[in-house]
């Protein structure tokens, strides 16, 4: 028998690296066969490793990767649906479908996520208030179960297993492929309205007032600004540009789409990283001032609007050896004071975050572990090596959020405790019941599940 | 059961669970993420006392019998801890005897006992611990070495020799199991005011268990290989290590 070498893996945050046996079998039969080689630590599927924490890690166990590439994507233009293998990224999918006048229904802040990962994390985008999360665009999916069998599930077909898989963090099985509903578009450009807002109250009022008029809406917040400038921000509302919005030259190739990566961050960043309070404060000041006070109908390419960070490869290296962690939560509408308290606490603590975004979620879907619920969601990046007391502060924020009836996003989490998840996801036991029914031996396992006690009754 | 992104462990195991430095490291590692601290000690009654001080509403403390001189029980102890509490995030090895060097250099059995506890028993316990962590694919081991092992002096010949051996073993072990996802941190304190050194004259640059703990925990988070407490010992010993023997012998190092 071949000796399998362990491979060092971590999440996008580069924190808490572990060693696991990584395999990439080709074809469903080989994938099912690989499950037999899982030891006592079980198995887990891993996509592109873009979840920030330990969601796609299975330390000491088996980690399965799926093939990528556009070869097996089947587009049904008449129905507006597409069948995509689980290991294909949304970026690859877009490359194929944009030219045909289609777009994915949900696109997060990066295109480097797989379809399987998008389902497992039930990801959301800037259009959640309008279109819901990724699970809603899934017509059906084929799931490889722990016993090696493949079942087809969907909102009408074994719905409990379908919704346990949506947001189920890969712990119900492996998404072999999925049929997705697509969004028809006339052009590959975005029409974007940008507004600079001086403080948090104005921002929240403007968002509540305007986001229903746009398919996409998100605000960047300067988490360094204090006092009367607390919560100063840039709100970008967007829609897919229509044909008549394009100039004559662009209109000759309205669906032209050439995504690019400009640069890749080399692995030569000093161990402490480049992001400290001073550099982030300077960046934030510049970013705020360079943005227009108010601009309407600016045309932007898809990548630039949705995934500006994708323009810089391996941007996580900027954070140095300690890496970064991402903190994202949602609190219900009506809990604006909690949101303000959290932001004040972050600003006062000097936690320099240059990626803090605020967005309003629409209603939740039936998935027990799906993150988005009606309310405000704030997401921010924090250098993990930042300062002493970061852990205590996040713990404090956890409780502010939970007391307000909110919850945290598992795909981004790397710091929460079992208690935080039990309180934030009251349907955890229901989810575990469905999961256990298709995995009675407990094959699927992840470090996220271990840390948060997801599989313990 | 898993370190989080800030390196805050959930399950902590102290070998030598009543040692002042071991307990100080245990306290320094406590965070809202901590679920369990396991104190493995020879004197279980003393361990229970220490446990009462560590336990809280969110932290369970489990006291286990551990004797460095009974290696037959080491593997069983470590696997039973993992079976009860799940993945072990950090193992701190702080078990050891200082001994009386005048006795140990005159009495063969006294010399043997120090070597048995500080070196042979430590190796056995660390091998047992590393087996569990390697199977997990993650975890850290903190080994309490000493500057006494950096260059063995006349005043602590036997103790220094056991620490020199342990330090060397820990270096090799760390390199050997890094590929399995396990991090080994060697802590080299100088003279530490503790119950172990009570009544003995303090050496220059003496420090406290709390300082050693702070240095160790910072080293853990930064995934360092070796840390010194206080840090000035490192440049100092890089000089002392190379002093000619006649000079070294005459140094007033306590």
């Amino acid at each position: 028998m071949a000796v399998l070498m362990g491979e060092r893996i971590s999440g996008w945050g580069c924190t808490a690296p572990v060693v696991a046996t990584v395999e990439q079998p080709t074809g469903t039969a080989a994938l099912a066969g690989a499950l037999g080689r899982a030891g006592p630590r079980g198995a887990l599927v891993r996509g592109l490793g873009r979840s920030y924490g330990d969601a796609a890690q299975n330390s000491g166990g088996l980690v399965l990767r799926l093939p990528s590439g556009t070869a097996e994507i089947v587009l049904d233009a008449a129905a507006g649906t597409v069948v995509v293998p689980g290991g294909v990224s949304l970026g690859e999918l877009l490359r194929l479908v944009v030219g045909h006048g289609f777009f994915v229904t949900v696109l997060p802040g990066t295109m480097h996520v797989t379809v399987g990962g998008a389902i497992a994390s039930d990801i959301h985008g800037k259009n959640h208030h309008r279109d819901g999360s990724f699970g809603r665009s899934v017509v059906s999916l084929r799931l490889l179960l722990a016993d090696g069998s493949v079942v087809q599930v969907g909102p009408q077909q074994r719905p409990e297993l379908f919704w346990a898989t949506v947001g189920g963090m890969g712990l119900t099985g492996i998404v072999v492929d999925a049929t997705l509903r697509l969004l028809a578009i006339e052009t590959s450009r975005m029409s974007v309205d940008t507004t600079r807002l001086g403080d948090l109250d104005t921002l929240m009022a403007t968002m509540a007032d305007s986001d229903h008029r746009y398919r996409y809406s998100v605000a960047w917040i300067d988490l360094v600004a204090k006092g009367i400038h607390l919560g100063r921000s840039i709100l970008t509302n967007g829609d897919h540009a229509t044909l008549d919005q394009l100039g004559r030259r662009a209109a000759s190739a309205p669906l032209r789409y050439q995504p690019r990566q400009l640069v890749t961050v080399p692995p030569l960043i000093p161990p402490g990283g480049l992001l400290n309070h001073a550099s982030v404060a300077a960046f934030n000041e510049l970013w705020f001032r360079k943005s227009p006070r108010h601009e309407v109908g600016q045309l932007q390419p898809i990548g630039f609007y949705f995934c500006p960070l994708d323009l810089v490869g391996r941007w996580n290296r900027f954070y140095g050896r300690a890496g970064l962690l991402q903190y994202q939560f949602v609190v219900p509408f009506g809990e604006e004071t909690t949101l303000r308290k959290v932001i004040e606490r972050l600003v006062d603590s000097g936690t320099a975050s240059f990626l803090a975004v605020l967005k309003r979620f629409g209603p939740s879907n039936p998935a027990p572990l799906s993150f988005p619920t009606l309310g405000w969601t704030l997401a921010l990046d924090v250098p993990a090596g930042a300062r002493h007391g970061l852990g205590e502060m996040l713990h404090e924020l956890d409780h502010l959020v939970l007391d307000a009836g909110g919850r945290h996003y598992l795909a981004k989490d790397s710091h929460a405790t079992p208690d935080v998840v039990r309180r934030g996801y009251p349907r955890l036991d229901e989810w575990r019941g469905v999961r256990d029914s298709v995995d009675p031996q407990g094959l699927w396992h992840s470090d996220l599940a271990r840390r948060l006690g997801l599989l313990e009754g | 059961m898993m370190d989080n992104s800030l390196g805050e462990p959930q399950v902590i195991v102290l070998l030598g669970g009543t040692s002042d430095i071991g307990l100080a490291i245990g306290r320094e590692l406590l965070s809202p993420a901590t679920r369990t601290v396991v104190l493995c000690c020879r004197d279980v009654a003393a361990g229970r006392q220490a446990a009462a001080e560590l336990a809280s509403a969110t932290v369970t403390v489990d006291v286990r019998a551990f004797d460095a001189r009974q290696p037959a029980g080491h593997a069983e102890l470590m696997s039973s801890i993992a079976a009860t509490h799940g993945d072990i995030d950090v193992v701190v090895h702080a078990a050891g005897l200082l001994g009386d060097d005048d006795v140990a250099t005159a009495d063969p059995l006294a010399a043997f006992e120090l070597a048995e506890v500080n070196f042979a028993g430590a190796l056995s316990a660390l091998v047992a611990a590393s087996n569990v962590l390697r199977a997990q694919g993650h975890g850290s081991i903190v080994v309490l070495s000493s500057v006494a092992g950096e260059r063995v002096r006349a005043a602590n010949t036997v103790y220094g020799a056991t620490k020199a051996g342990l330090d060397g073993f820990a270096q090799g072990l760390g390199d050997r199991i890094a590929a399995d996802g396990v991090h080994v941190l060697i802590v080299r304190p100088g003279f530490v005011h503790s119950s172990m050194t009570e009544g003995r004259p303090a050496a220059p640059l003496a420090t406290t268990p709390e300082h050693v703990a702070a240095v160790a925990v910072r080293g853990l988070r930064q995934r360092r290989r070796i840390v010194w407490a206080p840090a000035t010992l490192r440049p100092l010993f890089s000089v002392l290590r190379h002093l000619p023997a006649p000079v070294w012998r005459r140094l007033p190092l306590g």
Side-chain angles (χ1 to χ4, degrees):
Chain A
M1 199 190 101
V3 179
L4 298 165
M5 284 296 291
E7 191 177 309
R8 199 177 187 80
I9 52 174
S10 74
W12 184 244
C14 301
T15 55
V18 299
V19 169
T21 306
V22 181
E23 281 193 55
Q24 184 166 334
T26 317
T28 313
L31 198 59
L35 300 184
R37 292 194 288 280
R41 306 279 295 177
L44 182 74
V45 64
R46 177 178 170 95
L48 288 165
R50 283 293 174 126
S51 48
Y52 285 77
D54 43 16
Q57 294 173 194
N58 181 27
S59 58
L62 182 62
V63 169
L64 297 165
R65 307 207 50 176
L66 304 176
S68 62
T70 53
E72 289 179 53
I73 300 175
V74 181
L75 175 68
D76 182 342
T81 60
V82 66
V83 182
V84 199
V88 172
S89 75
L90 295 189
E92 289 171 319
L93 180 58
L94 283 177
R95 241 175 252 259
L96 190 92
V97 300
V98 168
H100 293 277
F102 289 106
F103 199 69
V104 290
T105 313
V106 172
L107 188 63
T110 174
M111 294 185 189
H112 304 302
V113 295
T114 62
V115 167
I119 293 169
S121 302
D122 195 23
I123 61 167
H124 56 271
K126 301 170 176 47
N127 57 339
H128 187 274
H129 63 288
R130 169 87 64 106
D131 298 316
S133 52
F134 201 84
R136 201 156 120 188
S137 71
V138 181
V139 179
S140 70
L141 62 87
R142 292 198 307 138
L143 190 67
L144 175 70
L145 298 177
D147 65 6
S149 65
V150 175
V151 292
Q152 178 150 335
V153 297
Q156 266 81 48
Q157 214 174 349
R158 296 188 72 173
E160 341 66 58
L161 182 53
F162 173 74
W163 290 115
T165 300
V166 170
M169 305 310 291
L171 297 165
T172 59
I174 299 178
V175 175
V176 176
D177 55 40
T179 306
L180 307 177
R181 204 171 291 114
L182 296 172
L183 178 73
I185 50 173
E186 288 181 24
T187 77
S188 63
R189 316 296 200 282
M190 300 302 298
S191 163
V192 182
D193 293 0
T194 305
T195 315
R196 227 159 79 171
L197 297 154
D199 62 77
L200 189 61
D201 287 337
T202 320
L203 169 67
M204 290 196 282
T206 311
M207 288 179 88
D209 213 40
S210 66
D211 69 357
H212 64 277
R213 294 201 304 272
Y214 300 88
R215 184 174 286 272
Y216 303 98
S217 174
V218 72
W220 169 85
I221 301 191
D222 177 1
L223 277 193
V224 176
K226 288 188 182 203
I228 57 161
H229 298 301
L230 183 90
R232 71 173 181 180
S233 42
I234 301 166
L235 175 63
T236 48
N237 288 330
D239 276 301
H240 293 281
T242 50
L243 205 49
D244 55 3
Q245 282 177 289
L246 296 193
R248 199 184 311 157
R249 240 184 86 195
S252 65
L255 292 167
R256 187 183 143 97
Y257 176 59
Q258 287 173 317
R260 284 178 306 162
Q261 185 173 294
L262 299 177
V263 289
T264 293
V265 180
L268 298 169
I269 301 294
L274 296 173
L275 298 177
N276 53 44
H277 195 268
S279 67
V280 171
F283 171 86
N284 285 4
E285 187 69 34
L286 194 75
W287 191 252
F288 185 75
R289 299 212 171 271
K290 74 122 203 108
S291 136
R293 246 172 240 288
H294 188 64
E295 184 170 349
V296 177
Q298 193 199 13
L299 293 180
Q300 293 180 1
I302 288 168
F304 188 83
Y305 178 69
F306 286 98
C307 315
L309 280 168
D310 282 353
L311 296 172
V312 184
R314 290 300 309 266
W315 59 263
N316 53 350
R317 281 183 177 149
F318 277 130
Y319 287 85
R321 199 165 53 184
L324 75 151
L325 67 89
Q326 164 101 184
Y327 191 71
Q328 182 169 3
F329 65 87
V330 57
V331 289
F333 291 134
E335 289 293 342
E336 287 74 16
T337 37
T338 304
L339 184 63
R340 169 176 282 276
K341 238 188 262 174
V342 170
I343 292 175
E344 278 171 353
R345 185 75 184 82
L346 285 163
V347 172
D348 289 345
S349 72
T351 308
S353 176
F354 91 123
L355 281 173
V357 296
L358 184 68
K359 142 124 218 99
R360 286 159 54 86
F361 276 154
S364 53
N365 66 20
L369 294 191
S370 171
F371 165 65
T373 57
L374 201 62
W376 297 96
T377 184
L378 180 73
L380 55 127
D381 280 6
V382 187
R387 40 182 279 286
H388 204 64
L390 179 60
E392 280 77 9
M393 186 191 66
L394 292 178
H395 187 68
E396 214 181 285
L397 299 187
D398 285 349
H399 287 279
L400 278 175
V401 168
L402 292 168
D403 291 344
R407 54 164 64 153
H408 301 80
Y409 190 12
L410 296 182
K412 292 191 172 175
D413 177 62
S414 62
H415 183 264
T417 56
D419 180 50
V420 169
V421 178
R422 271 196 294 271
R423 284 186 63 194
Y425 292 87
R427 293 171 65 202
L428 182 62
D429 288 342
E430 175 194 334
W431 171 82
R432 193 186 300 119
V434 178
R435 192 211 93 89
D436 290 353
S437 71
V438 291
D439 183 14
Q441 312 293 323
L443 171 74
W444 308 118
H445 225 309
S446 72
D447 290 347
L448 177 98
R450 288 187 180 96
R451 180 169 54 82
L452 298 176
L454 296 185
L455 306 181
E456 293 160 28
Chain B
M1 308 231 303
M2 282 302 301
D3 262 9
N4 65 22
S5 52
L6 298 178
E8 295 171 336
Q10 290 186 324
V11 177
I12 302 162
V13 176
L14 303 184
L15 294 167
T18 55
S19 128
D20 288 348
I21 297 180
L23 283 169
I25 294 177
R27 281 192 297 274
E28 184 76 17
L29 281 171
L30 290 181
S31 77
T34 315
R35 286 164 70 176
T36 311
V37 181
V38 184
L39 301 181
C40 306
C41 32
R42 197 170 39 144
D43 184 346
V44 173
R48 293 230 167 82
Q49 266 184 352
E53 284 165 41
L54 273 175
S56 69
T58 53
V59 178
T60 317
V61 184
D62 182 4
V63 181
R64 301 289 185 106
F66 163 68
D67 189 338
R69 286 167 296 197
Q70 304 289 332
H74 293 174
E76 161 63 22
L77 172 69
M78 294 311 299
S79 49
S80 126
I81 291 171
T84 312
H85 301 291
D87 286 14
I88 300 169
D89 298 313
V90 184
V91 177
V92 180
H93 187 280
L97 298 173
L98 183 53
D100 181 329
D101 208 56
D102 292 338
V103 177
T105 47
D107 174 1
L109 285 181
F112 182 80
E113 191 198 15
L114 278 183
E116 199 181 18
V117 173
N118 291 2
F119 181 67
L123 261 57
S124 157
L126 287 170
V127 168
S130 68
N131 282 340
V132 171
L133 302 195
R134 290 167 80 178
Q136 290 175 183
H138 73 98
S140 297
I141 298 175
V142 181
V143 179
L144 263 302
S145 174
S146 168
V147 287
E150 183 63 15
R151 184 168 182 183
V152 180
R153 332 192 285 279
N156 55 17
T157 302
V158 179
Y159 176 79
T162 62
K163 288 297 185 184
L166 176 63
D167 195 292
F169 168 75
Q171 291 181 51
L173 182 72
D175 292 341
R176 199 179 169 98
I177 65 180
D180 298 319
V182 184
H183 166 220
V184 176
L185 171 72
I186 298 163
V187 182
R188 292 182 184 156
F191 184 93
V192 182
H193 291 287
S194 68
S195 46
M196 192 198 237
T197 58
E198 213 176 326
R200 298 188 189 227
L205 297 173
T207 182
T208 61
E210 288 67 34
H211 177 70
V212 177
V215 169
V217 170
R218 205 180 317 128
L220 262 182
R221 303 238 154 103
Q222 296 173 348
R223 291 184 89 84
R224 296 274 298 276
R225 198 163 165 264
I226 299 169
V227 290
W228 303 68
T232 38
L233 286 172
R234 184 184 173 188
L236 180 66
F237 265 80
S238 67
V239 175
L240 293 183
R241 192 187 304 140
H242 301 290
L243 286 183
V247 182
W248 167 251
R249 233 176 264 146
R250 287 179 180 80
L251 285 182
L253 292 175

